[in-house]
Amino acid sequence: MHSIAQLLSCFDPVTGNIAGVPATQRRLEDLRGCFADAAAYEAALAAGNPLLYRVASVEPAAGPGDLHYGVGCLMPGKIGAEYFLTKGHLHSWRQAAEIYIGLAGEGVMLLEDESSGESRMVPLRPHQAVYVPGHTAHRTINTGTMPLTYVGIYPAHAGHDYAAIARRNFRCAVIEQDGHPVMIERSELLKTLAS
Ligand code: PAN
Ligand code: ZN
């Protein structure tokens, strides 16, 4: 039988910290190439290297039926018009789906079907669950003014494949327009920035 420490985790819904679980930290320098506005990115990096997000992961066992989960905390902010975001990934085991549950703050999930490239922007808020199907690249975006915290639950065998996203990024970006989050084609955003 598992110990109580393996069965129960206590997390803070505002900070995203899980008692006794170290968190992976991602700073602005770790997200090179993710934001469309390269000049705004370099300026923000020169001004400091802020923490963008932390993820504490609970990965008790890795058998075929096991589940893992992580609690994420993504800071509010923007690079140019683009909101702070996670790196984003596909699961190495492509069939693996995931369930995200919002805990605090206001954000969206950017979902992109790997084969068609079809993109969806789905709200991520407290008391809402977002189903991320298999074969779907997913990125979390903070569109609010306070830290966005959430839980993500996925098969233990899912694995994280960052390489495809690092190569080509997501097809769409989420930017602030007239005070609201709007999803646009990244190529359109790059054209606007170049003009
Ligand atoms: C999440 C993510 C978390 C951080 O736990 O790992 O939101 O995002 P990146 O992994 O893209 O940096 C998850 O989707 N796990 O599968
Ligand atoms: Zn995932």
Side-chain angles (χ1 to χ4, degrees):
M1 186 57 181
H2 294 77
S3 68
I4 190 72
Q6 290 170 313
L7 300 174
L8 176 70
S9 302
C10 299
F11 59 82
D12 181 325
V14 174
T15 63
N17 292 330
I18 309 180
V21 177
T24 299
Q25 303 207 344
R26 301 279 185 218
R27 295 189 168 274
L28 188 58
E29 68 181 353
D30 301 314
L31 278 93
R32 179 167 288 283
C34 293
F35 295 96
D37 191 336
Y41 175 83
E42 295 303 340
L45 201 54
N49 182 24
L51 175 75
L52 259 58
Y53 61 98
R54 289 188 301 266
V55 191
S57 303
V58 179
E59 302 182 332
D66 283 309
L67 295 173
H68 287 171
Y69 62 96
V71 177
C73 179
L74 173 60
M75 301 304 155
K78 281 181 294 174
I79 297 296
E82 203 174 1
Y83 297 101
F84 280 4
L85 43 74
T86 59
K87 284 185 168 196
H89 58 270
L90 284 148
H91 291 146
S92 311
W93 180 40
R94 290 293 198 265
Q95 295 95 313
E98 181 162 359
I99 292 172
Y100 274 73
I101 299 170
L103 298 175
E106 216 173 296
V108 298
M109 298 288 302
L110 181 60
L111 306 181
E112 181 180 306
D113 182 277
E114 186 180 20
S115 43
S116 67
E118 194 191 335
S119 300
R120 299 293 296 265
M121 181 175 76
V122 183
L124 180 64
R125 299 204 185 109
H127 314 295
Q128 293 187 349
V130 176
Y131 184 76
V132 179
H135 302 275
T136 304
H138 45 289
R139 165 174 277 171
T140 310
I141 298 170
N142 187 339
T143 59
T145 54
M146 57 185 276
L148 171 70
T149 54
Y150 54 91
V151 184
I153 307 162
Y154 47 95
H157 279 179
H160 294 82
D161 177 0
Y162 294 100
I165 295 303
R167 252 191 329 270
R168 59 170 171 76
N169 210 334
F170 281 71
R171 196 151 144 174
C172 290
V174 176
I175 61 167
E176 185 184 58
Q177 242 174 35
D178 304 323
H180 300 286
V182 175
M183 183 178 79
I184 63 164
E185 293 272 339
R186 180 171 303 276
S187 55
E188 290 304 312
L189 180 55
L190 290 170
K191 266 188 233 160
T192 312
L193 288 167
S195 63

